[in-house]
Amino acid sequence: MPRPSRPAPGGTTAPHRRALILGAVGLLLAGRPALALDWRRQPLRLMAVTSRDCPQSAAWLAETAPDLARHPTGRLAPLLLVDIGGPYPDGLLLDARPRLTPCFILLRQGAEMGRFEGYSGKDHFHAALKALLKDTDQTAHGVRSSQG
């Protein structure tokens, strides 16, 4: 039989303390809690999964991420930055959990449309993202076009 929680000094029970600690650890790891995104407002997003221990992630974050919102592909699919350890946004439909970083996943209303992994420079990144957008046939409104 489980022991009843006793209030800790200040009146917080042990489970509540653990939740606060886990929440604080989550904030430290990812910089923010799990997100509930409004996919109606912005149906297309680029989720970049990075790791603090990955030199390619660090290079991408320094060289490409700061200017992505000003680039045409960045305006089409705004950036959603996630640490590989999470937390991930609520309600994602991914083909598989990312295992390598950096990993770039094109999402349409939370569902994976395609992905590419690795980083070998700004030009290669933008070419790969442009090809991914073309391969998944995305338009400026995040809706598939009827032309093939």
Side-chain angles (χ1 to χ4, degrees):
M1 175 178 261
R3 292 187 333 210
S5 297
R6 281 187 270 151
T12 306
T13 62
H16 291 123
R17 266 196 325 243
R18 269 183 260 151
L20 291 172
I21 291 169
L22 291 174
V25 169
L27 287 172
L28 289 173
L29 289 176
R32 58 183 174 253
L35 301 171
L37 299 172
D38 183 0
W39 294 102
R40 292 170 296 180
R41 199 175 109 246
Q42 182 59 52
L44 197 62
R45 294 181 190 261
L46 178 67
M47 183 169 72
V49 182
T50 61
S51 171
R52 283 186 269 165
D53 299 330
C54 173
Q56 287 185 339
S57 291
W60 180 80
L61 287 165
E63 298 169 6
T64 304
D67 299 324
L68 189 58
R70 291 189 293 274
H71 195 276
T73 55
R75 287 192 301 271
L76 181 61
L79 180 63
L80 171 61
L81 189 59
V82 176
D83 185 86
I84 194 159
Y88 287 81
D90 291 336
L92 289 182
L93 298 172
L94 300 179
D95 292 345
R97 185 175 178 134
R99 303 206 284 151
L100 302 173
T101 60
C103 180
F104 305 99
I105 303 173
L106 185 63
L107 301 169
R108 183 167 165 250
Q109 295 182 338
E112 180 173 337
M113 302 299 295
R115 71 172 66 192
F116 61 97
E117 296 170 328
Y119 178 74
S120 59
K122 191 182 265 195
D123 292 337
H124 181 265
F125 169 81
H126 285 294
L129 179 55
K130 188 174 180 179
L132 180 59
L133 288 164
K134 183 179 178 187
D135 288 348
T136 57
D137 201 23
Q138 301 302 307
T139 68
H141 301 291
V143 177
R144 289 186 177 277
S145 68
S146 57
Q147 300 174 351

